[in-house]
Amino acid sequence: MSHLPQIDYDTASQEVRAAYDEEIRLRGRMTNMKRTLLHSPVAHRIYAEWFALRAELDPVISDREIWIFSHAISKAANSKIAITFFRRALIHKGFDPDALELSEAEALLDALGRAIVTDSNAVPAELWVKLKERYDTKALVDLVAFAGIMLATAVFNNVVEVDFDAELEAFAEGAGPA
């Protein structure tokens, strides 16, 4: 059970309701994490910058690549909600997250995601060499910043013990075919 409650829309302030309504308008749904974050519209807005960085990366990193990167970060952080969120994204596009054959770019992003969480002070130099060969400096800045927000998301879910979204249950590890 979550250490912090989700907002109650009916009793929430106008500011919280406006942020909630905007989230629904932009993304069409509201997760339990977002309902919890909305106790602070500023915190919610900061975490939602994940989407802005994703848009910046879109021209150079595909959806599948970003899902694999995010999944690697989530796995390394042991965040059940985040892991399952990206499993669902992969499954919805016809991929089996338990049997992915990674391209060179995907393997690179998977390794970076795991390295960032494992020890952000020791991302291997050879990994940086490969990253710099593939991506320009702006993309690398956006990618590392994106990883920071992704890790922050995993940490928030873990520390608060945000209630698992029912819509994710079918996609959890070990849940069987979705």
Side-chain angles (χ1 to χ4, degrees), residues 1-5 157-164:
M1 176 173 229
S2 182
H3 292 289
L4 301 174
N157 282 315
N158 289 352
V159 171
V160 174
E161 296 181 23
V162 172
D163 293 332
F164 198 77

Side-chain angles (χ1 to χ4, degrees), residues 15-16 24 35 47-48 65 78 82 98 104 121 134 150 174 177:
E15 178 188 20
V16 168
I24 294 295
R35 283 186 192 94
Y47 277 71
E65 290 168 339
N78 196 28
D98 298 318
E104 186 178 318
N121 289 304
R134 182 171 290 275
M150 187 63 242

Side-chain angles (χ1 to χ4, degrees), residues 36-58:
T36 306
L37 276 169
L38 275 169
H39 284 284
S40 169
V42 170
H44 175 264
R45 186 183 75 245
I46 289 166
Y47 277 71
E49 289 300 312
W50 183 98
F51 293 97
L53 283 168
R54 173 62 194 117
E56 289 294 304
L57 289 164
D58 190 40

